[in-house]
Amino acid sequence: MLGSTIAGDSDIRLFAASVITELTGSIKISEFPGMVRLISLLLDYKNQQDSLLTTGKIFEFPGVVKLIYSLHVLDAKNRQDSQPPRKKKKKDSQPNCISERNEGNVDRRHHSIRTVFGSTLSQQILFPLLGMSILQRLSCDPDNCKEIIEGATYVTTKTIGLIRYVTNQENNGGQIKKIVIRSSLNFVRWHASNTGKIGARFRRELSENPFLLNSLGHILDGDCQPELWEPVMDIIAAMALDHEAARQEIGSTQSIIPKLICAFLSQDDVNTRENNDHTLQMAAGEALANLTIKNTDNCWAILLAEQGHNLINKLIEMLDDEFYICVAANLLHNLCANSRDKLVDIDLGASMQLESALPKVMQIIMTSKESKKLEAALCITSRIGYVIPKCFRKVLISETDAAALVETLVDTLNSNREPCPAYPRIRRVLVEAVISIVRLCPVPYRTIFREKKAKDALDMVKGTPSRLEKYRVFINGKGVLPESLPMGSLVDKAKRLIHRTTPTPTMSAEQGDHA
């Protein structure tokens, strides 16, 4: 019934969709082989009848009315939602799991549908909208989610095709167009942000689709409202995590990086700060940070796109903002790690700006009681030292209480006897900071680290390994991108440097291989 494209079968398909809608809370896809494929046929706009259905006809199918109304409610909620940055991550919430109390009474549903959709609705829009909503509701069950990903090739092809069709329509399409795009993007975002093998497989299918990136770029660069940009940016951020080829391809899509930069720095007409809605800016920053992981080309593209706009200075300013310190630190870390020479060449003021950031970063390290903020500050300390070693050495020797700094680092290591899911990289960035400091300033820091019993703290870290510390980037608290150097090897390197008796090479002479 669902897959029928015979003229005159719209009533049958609506009836089938209505029945499935009523059963989505109890259906197990595994019990119905081929179900995902049949539902996905609803997404295929090419096989829909290019004719109109009256809203009166739609009202004959209560399940269909509930689906459409729930999408309208979610769309209105998303447009009004202005929560501070990522405290309530929409990408982490289950898609379209509407409770009964949010489905409204019959009169309210009918009035809302007439208001939004008018008196008629094209079947080329209606059936894909129903198919997407059914898939989203089924995805609320983890077992069903797994079955949907098993058919990822078919599902992603149909979903991306639907996004392309709607975004390329010449007419504006109004609210219904935005609802279709948002529904499709949220479905893709939900599964792309999944962890483990399920999420990895879905992201791989997305990366292999030749049309997705251009469609996402079109949404960012076209006439779509900024409210549709956040799910696009979350999808980009998730896709950038799996492998270098994905980051490279995303960066080569012309409109993506410039638009991410504009959104992150609140340029153009995207003024998120004034609207007290930081989610879009955070989504853009996270996408940029992920795209620059071990990718020199994307780092250069960002720096070249922002010539004369003081990007480095703006990132440093964000270190004072509790909302942005983590994402700003991650992006600044990657820019320093992957484009050291180019950074100074492109942005002539970068050296001075990084030098001015050092006292701020050191102050955070010395005084911060908030571990996430401390983790962010430590994250960029060694990288700044890598770019401007002479300036960093000067700060360490002339402007820092060496004994107090070492004591703070060792005490922080000792207080983190086990990795913490809330700030899983803090022990790693602490050890990296120790390595950078001793490399740059063996005198007096090597002796002080010995006196403060840094070896015991490092042995404790090595003796309490965790899978958490194998990863650099996390989705929903689970690691998805591994570190290049095992934690044990990093600890051994720090111990060798502290107890070495021969002169230590400076950071400028030796590449920072713990990045």
Side-chain angles (χ1 to χ4, degrees):
M1 291 183 181
L2 286 177
S4 176
T5 58
I6 300 174
D9 275 1
S10 59
D11 285 7
I12 295 176
R13 300 184 79 195
L14 282 172
F15 174 75
S18 183
V19 171
I20 292 176
T21 299
E22 296 294 338
L23 298 175
T24 49
S26 58
I27 286 179
K28 291 292 184 182
I29 295 177
S30 59
E31 298 176 2
F32 301 93
M35 184 177 183
V36 173
R37 188 179 184 89
L38 285 173
I39 295 173
S40 297
L41 288 174
L42 291 172
L43 308 180
D44 193 351
Y45 64 92
K46 293 180 181 179
N47 291 328
Q48 312 300 340
Q49 298 297 317
D50 188 14
S51 58
L52 300 176
L53 287 173
T54 65
T55 49
K57 170 61 70 174
I58 296 172
F59 293 157
E60 296 176 11
F61 303 93
V64 173
V65 172
K66 284 183 180 181
L67 274 181
I68 296 176
Y69 180 75
S70 68
L71 288 171
H72 166 62
V73 170
L74 280 176
D75 185 70
K77 179 180 181 298
N78 286 332
R79 283 184 280 117
Q80 295 171 3
D81 193 352
S82 59
Q83 292 292 329
R86 319 304 261 180
K87 285 188 176 180
K88 292 185 178 180
K89 292 188 178 181
K90 294 172 197 160
K91 66 182 179 183
D92 296 341
S93 59
Q94 293 179 329
N96 278 9
C97 298
I98 300 295
S99 64
E100 290 292 331
R101 66 176 180 273
N102 288 329
E103 292 181 342
N105 58 42
V106 174
D107 291 339
R108 180 182 297 175
R109 294 177 204 156
H110 290 187
H111 174 73
S112 297
I113 290 173
R114 283 197 178 98
T115 300
V116 176
F117 304 118
S119 60
T120 60
L121 187 60
S122 168
Q123 292 187 46
Q124 285 188 310
I125 291 295
L126 173 61
F127 285 110
L129 194 61
L130 295 177
M132 185 54 61
S133 186
I134 290 171
L135 284 173
Q136 287 179 318
R137 286 185 169 221
L138 289 171
S139 295
C140 295
D141 183 317
D143 293 333
N144 286 340
C145 187
K146 182 178 179 180
E147 293 294 327
I148 290 172
I149 300 303
E150 287 295 323
T153 301
Y154 198 76
V155 172
T156 55
T157 299
K158 296 299 183 184
T159 303
I160 294 167
L162 176 60
I163 293 172
R164 287 185 69 213
Y165 166 71
V166 178
T167 54
N168 289 332
Q169 281 184 310
E170 292 183 4
N171 59 340
N172 186 21
Q175 194 66 26
I176 181 62
K177 176 179 177 179
K178 287 196 293 184
I179 291 176
V180 174
I181 297 175
R182 185 194 299 281
S183 179
S184 303
L185 291 174
N186 282 340
F187 176 78
V188 174
R189 172 171 63 173
W190 164 248
H191 289 288
S193 300
N194 212 326
T195 54
K197 295 180 180 179
I198 292 178
R201 175 173 178 177
F202 192 80
R203 291 191 295 272
R204 184 170 62 252
E205 293 291 345
L206 292 178
S207 298
E208 292 175 356
N209 188 288
F211 303 110
L212 176 63
L213 291 180
N214 285 334
S215 297
L216 297 181
H218 183 75
I219 293 172
L220 292 176
D221 204 37
D223 60 353
C224 294
Q225 296 298 314
E227 65 203 52
L228 296 175
W229 294 351
E230 186 188 345
V232 169
M233 294 173 182
D234 285 338
I235 292 168
I236 291 170
M239 290 177 61
L241 292 178
D242 283 327
H243 50 81
E244 175 61 25
R247 291 190 285 275
Q248 195 70 27
E249 186 176 6
I250 294 170
S252 65
T253 303
Q254 189 172 7
S255 61
I256 288 181
I257 284 182
K259 203 65 182 184
L260 290 174
I261 294 172
C262 288
F264 182 52
L265 299 180
S266 296
Q267 295 175 355
D268 288 346
D269 54 352
V270 186
N271 200 334
T272 55
R273 286 184 184 272
E274 289 185 4
N275 294 331
N276 195 33
D277 181 5
H278 306 268
T279 56
L280 179 63
Q281 196 169 2
M282 286 292 292
E286 289 173 5
L288 288 170
N290 289 354
L291 286 171
T292 52
I293 295 173
K294 300 180 181 179
N295 190 295
T296 301
D297 288 345
N298 286 344
C299 289
W300 290 1
I302 291 172
L303 293 170
L304 287 169
E306 275 301 295
Q307 289 187 84
H309 294 286
N310 296 318
L311 171 64
I312 301 301
N313 191 52
K314 291 175 182 177
L315 289 174
I316 292 170
E317 289 176 355
M318 288 182 178
L319 298 178
D320 289 324
D321 192 321
E322 63 175 305
F323 291 137
Y324 299 109
I325 182 173
C326 292
V327 68
N330 286 335
L331 180 53
L332 187 57
H333 171 281
N334 294 342
L335 291 173
C336 291
N338 301 313
S339 56
R340 173 190 177 189
D341 297 331
K342 204 77 171 181
L343 176 63
V344 178
D345 291 341
I346 294 175
D347 191 339
L348 298 179
S351 294
M352 293 180 59
Q353 292 162 4
L354 290 174
E355 184 177 359
S356 69
L358 280 173
K360 179 185 299 185
V361 173
M362 298 303 290
Q363 181 69 15
I364 293 173
I365 293 173
M366 295 295 293
T367 62
S368 179
K369 302 298 182 183
E370 204 280 302
S371 296
K372 199 66 182 176
K373 189 174 183 179
L374 177 60
E375 182 185 63
L378 288 165
C379 172
I380 58 175
T381 300
S382 58
R383 294 296 92 202
I384 293 178
Y386 175 54
V387 177
I388 50 171
K390 291 182 180 180
C391 295
F392 193 26
R393 187 183 301 112
K394 176 185 174 183
V395 170
L396 288 173
I397 294 175
S398 305
E399 303 175 20
T400 303
D401 184 335
L405 174 60
V406 171
E407 185 172 1
T408 297
L409 295 176
V410 174
D411 286 349
T412 306
L413 269 178
N414 284 323
S415 65
N416 287 273
R417 303 189 68 83
E418 294 181 355
C420 175
Y423 31 92
R425 299 190 73 242
I426 192 166
R427 301 203 308 177
R428 175 176 286 271
V429 293
L430 275 165
V431 177
E432 289 178 351
V434 171
I435 291 172
S436 298
I437 291 170
V438 177
R439 272 180 171 170
L440 282 171
C441 299
V443 179
Y445 281 91
R446 180 186 293 147
T447 300
I448 300 174
F449 272 114
R450 291 173 182 170
E451 293 173 351
K452 298 295 182 181
K453 299 183 178 180
K455 180 180 180 298
D456 293 342
L458 291 168
D459 286 339
M460 178 270 297
V461 170
K462 188 175 181 179
T464 53
S466 169
R467 291 182 181 178
L468 275 176
E469 293 178 323
K470 294 181 179 180
Y471 296 96
R472 177 173 181 171
V473 180
F474 299 80
I475 294 180
N476 302 337
K478 295 185 179 180
V480 292
L481 186 68
E483 294 278 5
S484 57
L485 189 66
M487 188 64 170
S489 300
L490 197 66
V491 169
D492 289 341
K493 181 182 293 186
K495 289 165 62 178
R496 286 196 302 270
L497 285 169
I498 290 172
H499 292 277
R500 180 180 292 175
T501 56
T502 55
T504 303
T506 64
M507 185 75 75
S508 58
E510 185 175 343
Q511 294 291 322
D513 55 357
H514 59 277

